[in-house]
Amino acid sequence: MNILFIHQNFPGQYKHLAPRLAGMGHHCVALTLRVKEAQRWQGVRIIPYSLPNRPGQVVHPWLVDFDSKVTRGEACWRAAMRLRDRGYVPDLILAHPGWGESLFLRDVWPEARLGLYCELYHLAGWPHLDFDPEFPSKTPEAESLRIRMKNLNNDLHFETGHAGISPTRFQANTFPARFRDRITVSHDGIDTVAACPKPDVRLEVEGAGELGREDEVITFVNRNLEPYRGYHVFMRALPRLLRERPKARVLIVGGDEVSYGARPPKGQTWKQIFIDEVREQISDDDWARVHFLGRIPYERFLRLLQVSRVHVYLTYPFVLSWSLMEAMSCGATVVAGDTEPVREVITHDETGRLVDFFDGTALVDEVCTLLDDEGARQRLGQAARDLIRARYDLQTICLPRQVAWVSEVATGGA
């Protein structure tokens, strides 16, 4: 088949699927904003396109999000027409619609089948709204209306998409019934060979020296340090955690930007806001045991998970982080916030321990209990890895399932 991938940051979620399909003999092309020059990557022909320079325009605040998606959709549509005019005709289009690029592709190739990566439908109520009372909307009465408008992009894709794929049940179930029946739940996959326990692992950390499994290491990982991923809860628990564990090293991974949710006040970062809030409660000696590592290469990230004695994971009811599942695959002992997406992989005292998302006291209690109980850590860590290998292994479970889904979409069976 001729398969066209659409992702503004290709390969994104198609990191493993696209090379696999190319290796099976399919002719794979990707349209993306990520690169500036045409190139080949693992058998995939990558074609760049760019966004137009538009003069400033005034749109209703509720339409700003959709306006940006239409802009991207138009740019991708024009790039698609240039491909069409050179004779390219895809049999199947696989698109992440979240940024709007795929809005108009069926207008270019009406006979092509379209499979959508269904990451999230924005619910105009709890838990997508009002989960965290600390960060209320400035206009709460209008917030549900804004969220409904944010789904215009999703709703328009329902009219052109033939089938969807979603990595978790929680994410799939956010979509309305009229499209939910067309969504297959299949995770992108965890490389359990690379993400595995390593008893002799060593991790060099500035200010701490070389850490290994014999050290009391507590880890916390976000793409960016922000409330949506519970950074504020973790930081507020930190003063007591450091007092209770005088030998612990706390390793925090994440950037200073915003991936999800509201932005901090202008000129500030969520990272520094919550450092400033708790710093006076922490002695200088204790603070020296807290290490902000920023964003780190993947190989170093895996060593961090492998050296971790207890891994803390917190998230609003939202997209589940790969980092949690990679930690589980590494055999880490996880203490996590008890929210719906987390419960899909963490069962309390079976594959980890769950605490109320907002309860910092319970979080510290659970972490300390596990740090003192090697037997529980080994039991939970092994069960966590067993679950990831059984349900989410990249090579034996997820990639074969995705390839089967591609075949079904192409033939009209999904």
Side-chain angles (χ1 to χ4, degrees):
M1 290 187 292
N2 286 333
I3 302 177
L4 176 64
F5 289 90
I6 305 294
H7 196 299
Q8 59 98 28
N9 194 34
F10 184 84
Q13 286 87 352
Y14 302 120
K15 175 182 178 181
H16 302 293
L17 179 60
R20 171 62 63 89
L21 293 173
M24 293 171 62
H26 299 296
H27 302 283
C28 295
V29 174
L31 278 176
T32 183
L33 295 167
R34 183 175 185 176
V35 300
K36 300 298 182 184
E37 302 291 336
Q39 55 192 262
R40 293 193 72 85
W41 172 78
Q42 297 193 37
V44 181
R45 179 184 170 207
I46 301 178
I47 301 175
Y49 70 98
S50 58
L51 298 179
N53 292 320
R54 292 193 328 181
Q57 65 185 96
V58 178
V59 297
H60 193 286
W62 298 348
L63 284 174
V64 169
D65 179 77
F66 187 60
D67 181 73
S68 68
K69 289 176 169 55
V70 173
T71 298
R72 289 170 180 265
E74 180 193 7
C76 192
W77 170 72
R78 293 189 183 280
M81 288 199 296
R82 290 193 292 271
L83 273 179
R84 181 199 62 187
D85 292 345
R86 294 199 296 268
Y88 178 76
V89 179
D91 302 296
L92 175 65
I93 301 170
L94 299 178
H96 189 314
W99 297 273
E101 279 92 346
S102 44
L103 273 169
F104 311 117
L105 295 185
R106 292 288 309 288
D107 296 277
V108 182
W109 295 294
E111 300 303 316
R113 301 283 296 179
L114 175 59
L116 301 172
Y117 188 94
C118 297
E119 190 160 25
L120 196 73
Y121 193 88
H122 304 281
L123 300 179
W126 196 92
H128 287 192
L129 291 180
D130 303 323
F131 173 75
D132 191 340
E134 184 174 346
F135 302 99
S137 170
K138 294 178 181 178
T139 56
E141 299 86 356
E143 191 66 4
S144 63
L145 311 183
R146 183 188 67 82
I147 293 294
R148 276 165 46 201
M149 297 301 289
K150 193 177 177 72
N151 277 318
L152 282 173
N153 177 58
N154 276 321
D155 292 338
L156 288 173
H157 274 94
F158 296 164
E159 304 302 318
T160 60
H162 293 95
I165 192 167
S166 194
T168 67
R169 289 191 305 275
F170 171 81
Q171 289 167 258
N173 289 343
T174 62
F175 286 81
R178 66 183 185 278
F179 196 70
R180 174 64 181 90
D181 291 344
R182 285 186 268 164
I183 298 176
T184 295
V185 176
S186 179
H187 196 266
D188 310 314
I190 301 299
D191 185 347
T192 63
V193 175
C196 65
K198 191 173 183 181
D200 60 348
V201 65
R202 311 302 295 176
L203 179 70
E204 186 73 29
V205 175
E206 184 177 355
E210 194 175 69
L211 301 175
R213 292 290 299 169
E214 70 276 9
D215 296 296
E216 190 169 284
V217 176
I218 301 165
T219 53
F220 181 80
V221 174
N222 290 173
R223 179 187 301 173
N224 284 300
L225 301 173
E226 56 186 321
Y228 242 75
R229 294 305 197 192
Y231 171 67
H232 58 317
V233 175
F234 182 74
M235 288 301 290
R236 288 166 179 167
L238 197 55
R240 179 179 164 229
L241 181 59
L242 292 166
R243 290 194 299 270
E244 296 278 348
R245 310 305 302 190
K247 295 182 179 180
R249 293 282 179 175
V250 179
L251 309 184
I252 300 174
V253 171
D256 299 344
E257 301 172 3
V258 174
S259 297
Y260 318 107
R263 296 191 174 276
K266 188 174 182 180
Q268 300 184 60
T269 66
W270 289 123
K271 173 185 173 182
Q272 194 61 45
I273 285 171
F274 293 107
I275 288 176
D276 293 343
E277 180 180 320
V278 303
R279 182 62 183 87
E280 290 185 357
Q281 306 170 44
I282 301 173
S283 71
D284 290 345
D285 286 344
D286 282 351
W287 187 248
R289 296 186 286 115
V290 180
H291 306 275
F292 287 88
L293 305 184
R295 293 180 177 175
I296 59 178
Y298 187 68
E299 185 272 337
R300 181 169 169 79
F301 165 71
L302 287 182
R303 281 190 284 131
L304 174 128
L305 296 178
Q306 290 162 339
V307 81
S308 177
R309 191 166 288 186
V310 173
H311 180 73
V312 176
Y313 178 74
L314 301 166
T315 184
Y316 284 13
F318 192 63
V319 174
L320 197 66
S321 303
W322 280 21
S323 65
L324 169 63
M325 302 172 80
E326 287 164 323
M328 296 172 68
S329 183
C330 287
T333 306
V334 176
V335 176
D338 188 5
T339 54
E340 187 176 351
V342 173
R343 289 194 293 271
E344 208 157 317
V345 294
I346 298 288
T347 300
H348 183 67
D349 205 35
E350 291 184 15
T351 52
R353 296 275 173 84
L354 295 173
V355 297
D356 184 275
F357 175 89
F358 300 103
D359 193 341
T361 299
L363 175 65
V364 173
D365 289 345
E366 202 65 79
V367 170
C368 292
T369 297
L370 287 169
L371 289 173
D372 288 330
D373 191 341
E374 183 178 358
R377 293 199 309 271
Q378 291 179 346
R379 172 176 61 83
L380 294 171
Q382 184 62 56
R385 176 164 171 79
D386 289 346
L387 181 138
I388 298 300
R389 293 183 67 190
R391 297 186 189 175
Y392 301 100
D393 181 74
L394 174 66
Q395 297 297 337
T396 63
I397 305 295
C398 295
L399 257 184
R401 187 180 293 159
Q402 291 173 49
V403 170
W405 174 78
V406 166
S407 177
E408 291 171 353
V409 177
T411 59

